[in-house]
Structures are given as structure tokens and as C-alpha cells.
């Protein structure tokens, strides 16, 4: 035991150093976010390829009709949108569990206490905020351990700005779409670097928001931060593997249920619309094909796009488009913003459904990223430019799009006042 204690003290002299301690902390976070992208790339590409091929195979085996359309563009697109992110979720939780198991996570609390105090929080706020990287709901509940009422309320109000695992699928799709897959200095992934910046953006905005709010929430209580630093120990690999499997299972089952239900509802809203409008579009293209049979494929593609625009989902998207167009979003993204209130990761399932329903049979072989990359505005300009992609990334990093979080804030604060303030300030911040 004495040897272990001496080893812990020696290691703490380096890891908790006034300068090197922060440098090492940033390096650890850098390695985590590089790993999420680099290690998950091959399994994710494999899963995308399998689902794309499965869609083509089902389309070729089943006769064309509403059932095959529901199966390929509703159910299969929804499942694909869930499963493809399992490798990244598993890697993230494995690395976070590794930090906890070795005893380094407690050191992160100690290192960040000084920064937290300047923002009106204390070191105890670190654990809920780090837990917020997984999910804001249990993170907000864990803030009960903070005795000081003001610091507890501030922690609850800013924890949802931490980038939870539900944002990870959105970040992945958009970063892969608009950020080139290249290496800086021969070994640093640019996409991994942008991913790290997104997580830092959430953390920075959480601290900045807490700093502003501390002037409005009054209290006379003084707070103290007392922490017992555990000894360093070897990670228990069995615990890490169990956590990876459990978190993947929770993501697939819990998020999967929501994504599947919304994917099916979206398929219905995207496939059907007011009878007169849908009939007019069908008649228009039937006449064009009859007068120009050699352009049948081209007209069928245009028919699918126009039918989607005149569907119930299209009408809803076009209604809110004037509001979101200034920040670079089209009506399809608008629909995704609405469905994301159920859960942020639904964005991917929504996009998968919308781009599948709006495409032709040949496009089933394309991955979601390829379909989104080919999306254009009516004037032919690309929808997903670098600016639009970054705009959407920032919006998802900051906006309040989680009904479960609002419900738990209501329960913890015993008032609807704070959830409403949270909804307004986070969504306003994201839009601005």
C-alpha cells in the first residue's frame, strides 16, 4: 500500500502540475477525439455499405409498391441511421470509463476547480458536466450532490450545452460531409480536430453562460470543494468492455425506438399529401413522359422530388423555411430540426428517410452522405457547403432539442420557469 501511495504522489506531481497538468489534460482529450474518428472509420464505412447494398437487394427482390418503399425507405433507413454510430458510441464510452477506472477523472475535477469558480461553479460541477458528455438527463440528476443552491442551479442550466452522445451522430455526418478527410502534419486527422473543437465549443459556451447567469441568480451561501483523490490503479478491462456493450445496447434500444417511430411517421408524411396536389404532380409528369418517352428516367426523378415537396412533410418544411433560410438551412433540414426535439440523433434518421423517399430506385445504393452531398437548392447551388455545414454543427451544439432534458429540469427545479428559460436561451444562442 505504501508503494502504491508513493507512486500516486509522484504521478500527481506531474499530472496536477500548475502548467503541465493542463497540457496533459488537453492532450488526453485530443487523443480521445482523434480516436473517435480514426478507430471508428472502417466499421462505420462497412455498416453503411451493408445497409446500402441491403436496400438495393430488397428493392430488386420485392415488387415496386408501398410495402417495399416502407421497408427500404422507412424501416431500413431508420435502422441504418441507428446502427452506423454504434462503433463511435462504444469507443467514446470505453475511453471515458478508462479515465474513471484509472483515477484520472477525479484529477480532472481538481484541475478544473479554479476555472469553474470564475464561472460561478465549483469543482463538484465538473462531474455532472462530464457526465453530460454521455447524456444530460442523468448528469442533471447527479447535480444533487452540490450543496450550494446557486451552484446547483447554474450547473443544471448549463449542463445541456455539453455535447452529449446524441449529438455525436449529427457531428459525424456533418463533419464527414463538409470537412475534407486529410491529415495535418502527417498524423492529425482534420475531421477529428473539428470534432474536438465542437466539444470545446459546448464546454466554453457552458462556462460563459454560467458566468453571465451568476449575476442574475442571487445567493449568500459560501461553497467549499473537498475531494479525496483515489490512488491510481490499472484499468479493469472487463468493466470497460461491459460498459461499451451496455452503452451500445442502451443507444440502440432506447434511441432506436424513438428513431424507428419517427422514421415511420416521417415516411408516411413524406409519401402522402393533399390528394389534389399529389394528383396534379402525377398527371403533369405522366403527360411529359407520354410526349417525351426517351426522358422517362429524368422525369421520374423530378416527379419523386416534386411529390416529396408537396407531401405533408414538404408542406411543413416549406412553412418554416423562411425562418431558417438566413442561417443556411433548407426545408429538409427544417423538418429534421422539428423531429430532433424528440432526440437529437433523430436528425440522421430523418435525413435518411427524406433523402430515400425523395430519390429514385438507383439512388438506394448511395450512402446518406453521398445523397446529402448531392443535394442542391432550386438555383442549383449546393445545400451542404462548408459554411452551411458549420452553421448546422454550431446549431446542434448549442440548441435545446431534447424533451427528456426539459422534463428532468422541471422535476429537479420543481418549476416550469427554468426549463422555459433553458429552451429560450439555448435555442436563441444557437440561432444567433
Amino acid at each position: 500500500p505504501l508503494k502504491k501511495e508513493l507512486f500516486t504522489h509522484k504521478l500527481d506531481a506531474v499530472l496536477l502540475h500548475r502548467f503541465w497538468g493542463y497540457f496533459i489534460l488537453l492532450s488526453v482529450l485530443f487523443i480521445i477525439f482523434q480516436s473517435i474518428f480514426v478507430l471508428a472509420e472502417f466499421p462505420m464505412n462497412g455498416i453503411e455499405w451493408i445497409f446500402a447494398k441491403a436496400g438495393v437487394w430488397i428493392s430488386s427482390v420485392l415488387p415496386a409498391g408501398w410495402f417495399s418503399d416502407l421497408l427500404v425507405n422507412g424501416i431500413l433507413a431508420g435502422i441504418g441511421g441507428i446502427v452506423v454510430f454504434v462503433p463511435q458510441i462504444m469507443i467514446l464510452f470505453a475511453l471515458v470509463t478508462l479515465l474513471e477506472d484509472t483515477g484520472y477523472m477525479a484529477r480532472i475535477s481538481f484541475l478544473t476547480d479554479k476555472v469553474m469558480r470564475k464561472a460561478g461553479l465549483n469543482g463538484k460541477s465538473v462531474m455532472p458536466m462530464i457526465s453530460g458528455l454521455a447524456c444530460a438527463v442523468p448528469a442533471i440528476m447527479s447535480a444533487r450532490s452540490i450543496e450550494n443552491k446557486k451552484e446547483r442551479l447554474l450547473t443544471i442550466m448549463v449542463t445541456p450545452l455539453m455535447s452529449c452522445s446524441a449529438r455525436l451522430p449529427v457531428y459525424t455526418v456533418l463533419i464527414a460531409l463538409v470537412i475534407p478527410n486529410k491529415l495535418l502534419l502527417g498524423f492529425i486527422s482534420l475531421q477529428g480536430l473539428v470534432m474536438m473543437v465542437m466539444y470545446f465549443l459546448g464546454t466554453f459556451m457552458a462556462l460563459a453562460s454560467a458566468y453571465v447567469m451568476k449575476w442574475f441568480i442571487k445567493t449568500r451561501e459560501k461553497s467549499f470543494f473537498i475531494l479525496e483523490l483515489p490512488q491510481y490503479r490499472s484499468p479493469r478491462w472487463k468493466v470497460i468492455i461491459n460498459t461499451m456493450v451496455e452503452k451500445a445496447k442502451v443507444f440502440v434500444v432506447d434511441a432506436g425506438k424513438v428513431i424507428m417511430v419517427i422514421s415511420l411517421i416521417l415516411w408516411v408524411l413524406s409519401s402522402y399529401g393533399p390528394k389534389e396536389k399529389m394528383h396534379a404532380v402525377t398527371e403533369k409528369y405522366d403527360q411529359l413522359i407520354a410526349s417525351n418517352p426517351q426522358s422517362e428516367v429524368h422525369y421520374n426523378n423530378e416527379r419523386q422530388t416534386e411529390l416529396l415537396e408537396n407531401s405533408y412533410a414538404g408542406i411543413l418544411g416549406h412553412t418554416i423555411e423562411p425562418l431558417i433560410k438566413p442561417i443556411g438551412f433548407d426545408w429538409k433540414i427544417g423538418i429534421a430540426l422539428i423531429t430532433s426535439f424528440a432526440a437529437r440523433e433523430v436528425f440522421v434518421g430523418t435525413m435518411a428517410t427524406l433523402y430515400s423517399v425523395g430519390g429514385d430506385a438507383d439512388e438506394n445504393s448511395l450512402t446518406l452522405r453521398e445523397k446529402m452531398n448531392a443535394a442542391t437548392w432550386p438555383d442549383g447551388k449546393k445545400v451542404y457547403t462548408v459554411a452551411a455545414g458549420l452553421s448546422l454543427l454550431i446549431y446542434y451544439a448549442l440548441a435545446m432539442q431534447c424533451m427528456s432534458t426539459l422534463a428532468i429540469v422541471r422535476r429537479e427545479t420543481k418549476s416550469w420557469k427554468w426549463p422555459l428559460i433553458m429552451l429560450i436561451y439555448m435555442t436563441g444562442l444557437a440561432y444567433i
Side-chain angles (χ1 to χ4, degrees):
L2 185 61
K3 251 188 182 181
K4 275 187 181 177
E5 209 171 301
L6 288 169
F7 172 73
T8 293
H9 286 314
K10 282 178 183 174
L11 209 50
D12 275 344
V14 179
L15 296 179
L16 299 180
H17 190 271
R18 283 184 174 184
F19 172 74
W20 294 111
Y22 293 100
F23 179 78
I24 292 164
L25 174 59
L26 289 174
S27 302
V28 168
L29 295 174
F30 173 77
I31 290 164
I32 287 174
F33 296 118
Q34 287 290 308
S35 303
I36 287 171
F37 248 94
V38 175
L39 298 179
E41 186 179 356
F42 292 108
M44 285 180 75
N45 288 344
I47 293 166
E48 274 191 336
W49 181 83
I50 289 165
F51 274 93
K53 293 296 174 191
V56 173
W57 181 75
I58 292 170
S59 297
S60 64
V61 170
L62 293 175
W66 71 268
F67 180 71
S68 65
D69 192 39
L70 169 65
L71 207 58
V72 174
N73 301 326
I75 296 170
L76 198 68
I79 295 171
I82 305 159
V83 177
V84 75
F85 297 105
V86 168
Q88 285 194 324
I89 302 261
M90 290 178 83
I91 290 165
L92 176 67
F93 281 106
L95 295 170
V96 169
T97 309
L98 184 70
L99 295 183
E100 285 176 354
D101 223 28
T102 53
Y104 186 62
M105 195 66 93
R107 271 78 186 173
I108 294 176
S109 292
F110 179 82
L111 277 169
T112 51
D113 179 54
K114 195 183 281 185
V115 179
M116 291 287 171
R117 287 202 172 275
K118 285 178 181 171
L121 306 166
N122 81 17
K124 279 190 179 176
S125 305
V126 174
M127 290 320 292
M129 288 173 78
I130 288 174
S131 304
L133 295 174
C135 179
V137 172
I140 286 167
M141 289 168 72
S142 71
R144 290 174 187 175
S145 62
I146 302 168
E147 298 87 359
N148 185 294
K149 281 182 184 176
K150 177 179 178 177
E151 286 169 359
R152 180 170 173 260
L153 185 56
L154 281 173
T155 305
I156 288 171
M157 292 301 285
V158 301
T159 294
L161 284 165
M162 302 298 287
S163 289
C164 62
S165 58
R167 289 178 172 106
L168 189 58
V170 185
Y171 290 170
T172 305
V173 166
L174 294 172
I175 289 171
L177 196 63
V178 299
I179 305 297
N181 185 13
K182 65 179 183 183
L183 298 175
L184 301 176
L185 306 175
F187 70 98
I188 300 170
S189 162
L190 181 61
Q191 293 182 337
L193 206 58
V194 173
M195 176 75 86
M196 185 179 175
V197 169
M198 294 315 301
Y199 275 82
F200 273 125
L201 174 68
T203 308
F204 172 77
M205 292 310 292
L207 293 175
S209 301
Y211 181 79
V212 172
M213 284 185 205
K214 78 175 183 179
W215 302 105
F216 297 97
I217 301 171
K218 303 292 180 190
T219 184
R220 289 182 180 178
E221 284 181 80
K222 291 278 181 191
S223 73
F224 303 93
F225 179 50
I226 301 165
L227 175 74
E228 184 182 349
L229 294 176
Q231 288 183 358
Y232 290 104
R233 63 180 182 195
S234 300
R236 294 164 295 177
W237 299 107
K238 192 178 176 183
V239 171
I240 292 170
I241 291 164
N242 284 344
T243 304
M244 285 169 72
V245 173
E246 282 305 309
K247 295 297 182 184
K249 211 184 285 181
V250 166
F251 176 73
V252 170
V253 175
D254 292 359
K257 286 176 193 168
V258 179
I259 292 172
M260 279 306 303
V261 169
I262 287 177
S263 291
L264 292 173
I265 292 168
L266 261 177
W267 177 83
V268 173
L269 293 176
S270 307
S271 301
Y272 299 95
K275 278 185 181 176
E276 313 81 46
K277 284 189 173 185
M278 301 296 265
H279 185 66
V281 172
T282 306
E283 271 197 346
K284 172 187 162 184
Y285 283 98
D286 282 347
Q287 287 170 10
L288 286 168
I289 291 167
S291 62
N292 197 356
Q294 63 268 31
S295 301
E296 186 177 351
V297 175
H298 170 71
Y299 285 137
N300 274 330
N301 290 349
E302 286 198 351
R303 187 212 305 256
Q304 290 300 324
T305 306
E306 209 166 311
L307 283 171
L308 177 60
E309 288 194 25
N310 285 283
S311 66
Y312 294 118
I315 292 165
L316 176 66
H318 282 295
T319 305
I320 64 166
E321 193 176 54
L323 183 66
I324 57 174
K325 202 172 179 182
I327 51 174
F329 304 167
D330 72 345
W331 62 275
K332 286 185 180 179
I333 297 172
I335 296 170
L337 295 182
I338 293 167
T339 57
S340 292
F341 272 97
R344 289 180 185 92
E345 61 269 50
V346 172
F347 171 85
V348 182
T350 302
M351 286 293 150
T353 304
L354 289 175
Y355 281 103
S356 297
V357 174
D360 64 325
D362 296 331
E363 282 187 355
N364 286 332
S365 61
L366 297 175
T367 64
L368 176 60
R369 273 180 281 182
E370 287 167 336
K371 289 176 185 176
M372 288 170 75
N373 196 37
T376 57
W377 290 94
D379 61 4
K381 287 180 184 172
K382 280 184 76 168
V383 171
Y384 295 96
T385 58
V386 175
L390 292 174
S391 174
L392 197 48
L393 276 169
I394 291 166
Y395 190 90
Y396 267 89
L398 304 179
M400 169 38 69
Q401 288 167 299
C402 182
M403 289 187 290
S404 308
T405 302
L406 293 172
I408 208 75
V409 171
R410 155 76 182 85
R411 200 177 82 181
E412 293 295 306
T413 59
K414 297 178 177 61
S415 162
W416 277 110
K417 173 186 162 185
W418 297 109
L420 284 171
I421 290 172
M422 182 182 279
L423 177 66
I424 293 163
Y425 102 82
M426 284 181 69
T427 309
L429 196 62
Y431 188 86
I432 291 163

